[in-house]
Amino acid sequence: MSYRYSFEDLLAPLHGHAPAKVDAVALHRRRVEHGHLSVGLKIHCLGDGGQFSTLVEGLGGAQKILDVNSYKHSHASLCLVLPPVGSARSAILLLECIEHFIGSALFSNPEIQIQVCSPGRLGARRSALLAICFYLGSDTLRRYTLGDLATSFAEHQNYPRGRRLVLYDAQGDFDRNFDWWKESGKHRLVEPQLPFENGRSDLLAGSGSRLDIQNINLLATLLVHAQYQGYWNQLGMQFQEELEALLQRHLLSGLVDAPWVRTDDPESDDDDDGFFAALQELVAYAFEESVRIKKKGRLFSGWHEIPARSSRGILQEVQSLLQKYRSELVRQSRLLDQGGVA
Amino acid sequence: MIRAHQPGSEPIDIPETIPNPVVVPKPTPTPTEPAPKEPIRFPEKVPSSGEGVKSCPGDLGVEPASAVPSQIKAPLRFRVISLVELIPSSPWFRLRSGMAIRAP
């Protein structure tokens, strides 16, 4: 990720507007929580970007920090790349600090598209699971056009990424200096660097929320650890199995085979349409489910108190799944801190 | 907005985004910015009600009321008690607690 300024350069102007939050971010910038992955952020501004002008000038000007990065959303006037931080909590705080400075919202703002970057390239299947679970677990159900997912790298000569929710890195700068929890027998080995040279799996969350950042960080942690034998390998595999079973119950398991990410594999052709058909099916299913829930709510005011029968609906199930694994990961991590084996 | 059309029916608006009906937003605890500092409030001089015990504001670390700026004087909200009430050996304390008072 190309940004030609230091973390301190960014925090200095923000401090005057949100001193407590900036101090908290500065203090915990590299702190990894419970072995989650570090979090990188890119902010694509679809408006004229005027609200960022003072910040951009303070960091050295557009030529230095924006033009150096040729990657951005096709409809964006600018893409501000933020330095990675150790946790979703710090990432959210950092965005809040910027909100204070620029005086306008970054979360849930249709003019701001948030891209959440996670270290480690996920395989095609796990990329599909990342995108699907992000979509269903978000606090907003979105409809897309393919144009919503177009970036300057969609048809890039060397790094064609297509129009996708999940995007690989383009082998740019990569900050490895975050703890990586590695599995060593039954024990945890904390390594001071990530085991990736420069691989990333990014998710174009669109108009995103705090929950989206937390969810993507949890999902990426579980799936990346499952793929690269991190400490949460077993938990990640278990999560993957449960998510696949959930999709199977809803007759959506075929969606996972669609090309949700464009890999460097020559076999991975430019099948935007194949991906978009799968995404549209998922969107239609989720919207239909939301209508069902609303109808149920009107017919039975206390519908949520009715015991679950065969299925509580895919949206509810995904929420429960995310909550279950979020809690389980933290529980096991706390056990480790108490000296036990999770 | 994306508009869906069906022959013979009114076009309906299909929103591009809707809230996920099963998500209950939970506020994340984050550091709050410090509130503007309020002026420190000192109690006014405590009048002594006990005989033989003189108030001595300087000894208690309380500035005389006259030295406190008028805008930070606060009315007392607690009952004023004298030191006599607090000293177990005082005649008042023994009277109140039912202890016999020995003749001097």
Side-chain angles (χ1 to χ4, degrees), chain A residues 19-20 136 138-139 141 143 319, chain B residues 14-18 20 23 33:
Chain A
L136 296 170
S138 175
D139 38 15
L141 298 179
R143 287 184 198 277
Q319 285 302 315
Chain B
I14 301 174
E16 288 171 71
T17 60
I18 58 168
N20 187 333
V23 177
E33 298 304 329

Side-chain angles (χ1 to χ4, degrees), chain A residues 7 50 67 95 106 174 198-199 206 218 230-231 257 311 323 331:
Chain A
F7 196 64
D67 299 348
L95 288 179
L106 293 178
F174 184 76
N198 54 15
L218 173 67
Y231 183 77
D257 298 326
S311 168
Q323 190 52 46
R331 189 192 69 80

Side-chain angles (χ1 to χ4, degrees), chain B residues 23-102:
Chain B
V23 177
V24 181
K26 287 179 186 170
T28 314
T30 54
T32 50
E33 298 304 329
K37 285 180 183 172
E38 286 186 13
I40 300 164
R41 295 178 183 277
F42 294 99
E44 286 187 75
K45 188 170 72 175
V46 180
S48 169
S49 59
E51 279 185 18
V53 180
K54 289 183 178 178
S55 73
C56 187
D59 291 348
L60 298 171
V62 178
E63 294 298 318
S66 58
V68 180
S70 59
Q71 71 270 20
I72 60 170
K73 286 179 186 173
L76 289 174
R77 291 181 183 275
F78 47 86
R79 188 172 72 89
V80 177
I81 56 171
S82 72
L83 291 177
V84 175
E85 293 176 52
L86 297 173
I87 301 169
S89 59
S90 70
W92 181 92
F93 184 87
R94 281 182 285 169
L95 265 175
R96 293 295 296 256
S97 59
M99 291 170 68
I101 303 173
R102 278 185 287 173

